[in-house]
Amino acid sequence: MKRSFALLVFVFALLLSSITSAANFPTEEPMGGEPFGHSVKNMGNGLYVFRWWVYRNIFMVTDEGVIVTDPMNPKAAKLLLGEIRKITDKPVKYVVYSHNHHDHISGGKVFKDQGAKFIAHKNVLKELADHPSAATPLPDITFEKEYTVRLGGRALELKYFGPNHGDSLVVMRLPKEKILFIVDIVTPRRVAFRGMPDFWPDEWVRSLKEIEQMDFDYVISGHGPVNQPAIDPATVVAEQRIYLEDLMTAVKAEFNKGTHSPDKLRQVVKLPKYKNWQYYDEWLPMNIERIWAYYHMGW
Ligand SMILES: [Zn+2]
């Protein structure tokens, strides 16, 4: 009896340790952070842009409480809460996830502890079941295509465009100000991120074309260095799409000439039109290799 109890304890401990290790994504102690600083930009009418390192989110302060988006990671979320407390003592009522990636949505526990409700596209639940993180509370409210968060007379519209960067990304719109908050699929004046992790090139282009049809004048993007303006004109969405189309056209043209080696493609494909964009020299070859994989593997 004693032995079987000991065995049970052992099995339970083993189970617990496997759960703990699965939950230990590095976002618990994120890279970057403190040395890169954080800042808050007041956009007026209760809208703020919070920046931590190269990550950004928006939050909205209303008479009835606060709507927060993308808590980023435990370190950034604590800083964000501190900044919100300088502005209002109203509770954070809602936290909206832009998509499933841990580098954007970890750290929400400080808001969960205050009773905030978490909102995300329904596929975020599936993704977090497959890749759980102790730092990332599961969404309480999920939706399929569209959802509007309402609080204190303000509205934040959420819209899903199908797969593009993962398959759970939502674009957020402030209908009154005609501002979009777009994470990862639009980063103004910068080539695509490194090897384009979890980006699906053709679906990305399709989504951007659909987003261009929305009613909006401005874009706040989920990434930006310290010196980037907090807000950009609507044209940055088309600029991002045209960059991707130019990249794909250039790789395909070289591919059609018989250059099938990704190493060779990285050397010969150039897009001088974008030479002033951020990370042109460093990341363009990685972008090219991702598009090579798209044409080579259909992925
Ligand atoms: Zn992402």
Side-chain angles (χ1 to χ4, degrees):
M1 191 67 180
K2 246 184 189 163
R3 247 183 85 176
S4 65
F5 177 72
L7 190 69
L8 198 70
V9 168
F10 174 73
V11 169
F12 183 70
L14 205 68
L15 201 71
L16 199 72
S17 76
S18 75
I19 290 168
T20 318
S21 66
N24 256 339
F25 277 96
T27 37
E28 277 287 343
E29 261 308 317
M31 58 188 293
E34 217 59 71
F36 302 92
H38 74 285
S39 55
V40 174
K41 183 103 181 164
N42 184 354
M43 309 305 291
N45 205 20
L47 174 68
Y48 296 83
V49 178
F50 173 79
R51 179 194 61 81
W52 176 87
W53 188 20
V54 290
Y55 288 84
R56 306 198 298 191
N57 71 16
I58 57 169
F59 64 94
M60 292 165 71
V61 177
T62 81
D63 295 341
E64 289 171 21
V66 183
I67 303 170
V68 164
T69 62
D70 285 0
M72 301 177 190
N73 59 68
K75 208 178 251 179
K78 281 194 195 96
L79 292 166
L80 171 59
L81 180 58
E83 292 297 336
I84 292 171
R85 282 294 157 263
K86 289 180 193 168
I87 300 163
T88 178
D89 55 6
K90 295 269 191 302
V92 172
K93 287 280 180 75
Y94 296 108
V95 177
V96 182
Y97 290 160
S98 63
H99 65 307
N100 62 299
H101 291 151
H102 290 223
D103 59 323
H104 284 271
I105 65 163
S106 304
K109 196 176 174 300
V110 289
F111 304 116
K112 188 86 186 168
D113 292 345
Q114 300 180 2
K117 291 261 182 285
F118 285 60
I119 305 172
H121 183 263
K122 70 178 177 65
N123 291 349
V124 170
L125 266 184
K126 187 189 163 300
E127 292 293 339
L128 290 180
D130 289 347
H131 307 98
S133 163
T136 312
L138 295 176
D140 304 290
I141 300 166
T142 61
F143 62 95
E144 182 121 24
K145 288 210 164 77
E146 292 179 357
Y147 186 87
T148 301
V149 189
R150 294 184 194 281
L151 187 70
R154 300 300 305 272
L156 181 64
E157 299 172 356
L158 317 177
K159 197 166 159 64
Y160 166 72
F161 290 89
N164 38 51
H165 174 52
D167 190 15
S168 64
L169 190 134
V170 294
V171 169
M172 307 184 201
R173 189 178 88 106
L174 287 100
K176 207 161 125 191
E177 293 89 346
K178 297 196 179 183
I179 295 173
L180 296 188
F181 175 50
I182 310 181
V183 176
D184 285 353
I185 57 171
V186 174
T187 301
R189 299 170 296 282
R190 195 195 77 180
V191 302
F193 180 57
R194 303 188 69 92
M196 298 164 64
D198 213 3
F199 283 96
W200 310 8
D202 49 357
E203 298 282 16
W204 187 3
V205 169
R206 175 197 52 75
S207 296
L208 291 176
K209 281 181 183 166
E210 290 175 28
I211 293 165
E212 284 169 53
Q213 301 306 312
M214 293 175 79
D215 184 14
F216 69 107
D217 294 330
Y218 304 99
V219 170
I220 295 169
S221 55
H223 283 288
V226 185
N227 57 1
Q228 183 170 310
I231 195 160
D232 275 292
T235 45
V236 294
V237 178
E239 285 167 17
Q240 180 83 77
R241 177 196 31 96
I242 293 164
Y243 169 75
L244 290 169
E245 289 174 337
D246 288 348
L247 172 69
M248 293 176 81
T249 303
V251 173
K252 186 75 192 309
E254 201 55 45
F255 211 85
N256 288 347
K257 279 196 246 165
T259 312
H260 290 179
S261 153
D263 300 323
K264 184 83 180 151
L265 286 167
R266 287 169 63 118
Q267 287 167 14
V268 297
V269 175
K270 303 284 175 210
L271 294 172
K273 180 179 161 189
Y274 300 98
K275 68 180 192 316
N276 293 327
W277 279 25
Q278 208 190 359
Y279 294 113
Y280 175 83
D281 289 328
E282 297 89 340
W283 293 354
L284 178 65
M286 300 186 215
N287 289 186
I288 291 164
E289 181 148 351
R290 172 67 187 92
I291 300 305
W292 163 81
Y294 173 75
Y295 287 120
H296 186 64
M297 301 161 65
W299 166 74

